[in-house]
Amino acid sequence: MTAISMNIIAHIHSDFPSKFGIPRQSGLVEELESLVVFAPEYRNPDALRGLEGFSHIWLIWQFHQAVRENWSPTVRPPRLGGNTRMGVFATRSPFRPNPIGLSSVRLLGVERHPDLGMVLRVSGADLMDGTPILDIKPYLPYTDCHPEAASGFAGPDGGRLLRVEDPKELLSALPERTRSALLGVLAHDPRPQYQRDPDRVYGMDFAGYSVRFSVGEDVLTLRSVEALPEV
């Protein structure tokens, strides 16, 4: 087998310090904003010339916490409850021969940061904070969009949405952008597909806060939102 090397050109800064709660696909929660910060050797403004004319871009990235020496030809997709095996190439599982991910995100801006040089502000990313970016390409709607495409066992849409009961007093301390993004994440049911215990209280870290919730039927109830201690 021939091995190739790739350079990490950037990292993403997102509101997810761990994988729990991250939307299962890009674009599901448009309110989520992230920042693409380039490695020093790739902070040349000329490399981004013309990118501002595109509304969406592709991020090609590494599942950096799922790197394994060996691979399996089949995986258990969460969409099928984690009990049915499918071919790895029929899924978007992180456990692949090459742990590479692909996300389509909205480009909100190409901006100059006083300390970080040129950065990209994007929305709808499904990436953990610190994820390495391997490449960036413009999204072309006339060739990249296929409305008639079949979605196989993944189903015709992103799945059912939950109704979120959000006591206003729990969210009042959050900035408006963070508040709407959190509600979008919760509505898409961040629980693993195989966990459906109505009595269980789940917890996730998001944007510097510890968020706890429970789910019964199609209703998610927010239990607490507390600021995490500063590190």
Side-chain angles (χ1 to χ4, degrees), residues 58-80:
W58 290 106
L59 299 179
I60 299 149
W61 45 278
Q62 183 191 41
F63 286 103
H64 62 298
Q65 293 194 355
V67 177
R68 296 181 174 183
E69 291 187 2
N70 301 313
W71 70 284
S72 171
T74 62
V75 295
R76 297 186 176 95
R79 184 78 171 185
L80 299 178

Side-chain angles (χ1 to χ4, degrees), residues 25 28 77 79-80 86 90 92 147 149-160:
Q25 302 295 340
L28 289 179
R79 184 78 171 185
L80 299 178
M86 289 290 178
R92 297 190 176 187
S151 52
F153 65 83
D157 54 37
R160 65 188 178 93

Side-chain angles (χ1 to χ4, degrees), residues 86-196:
M86 289 290 178
V88 64
F89 299 130
T91 76
R92 297 190 176 187
S93 167
F95 305 112
R96 330 181 59 77
N98 294 305
I100 295 173
L102 178 70
S103 296
S104 171
V105 299
R106 180 180 293 275
L107 179 62
L108 300 177
V110 180
E111 304 172 355
R112 182 180 294 277
H113 189 279
D115 301 317
L116 304 174
M118 300 303 295
V119 299
L120 304 181
R121 191 162 52 90
V122 301
S123 71
D126 55 340
L127 281 71
M128 191 188 333
D129 185 55
T131 295
I133 306 296
L134 302 176
D135 201 4
I136 296 167
K137 297 180 184 293
Y139 177 96
L140 303 177
Y142 65 86
T143 185
D144 293 346
C145 180
H146 302 280
E148 77 287 357
S151 52
F153 65 83
D157 54 37
R160 65 188 178 93
L161 293 179
L162 299 175
R163 179 168 61 86
V164 180
E165 290 188 350
D166 54 314
K168 303 306 179 189
E169 64 273 14
L170 295 181
L171 296 176
S172 60
L174 297 177
E176 181 60 33
R177 181 195 67 80
T178 303
R179 191 181 313 166
S180 58
L182 174 60
L183 292 176
V185 169
L186 295 176
H188 279 87
D189 196 352
R191 299 174 299 167
Q193 294 282 350
Y194 51 85
Q195 291 184 0
R196 290 296 182 267

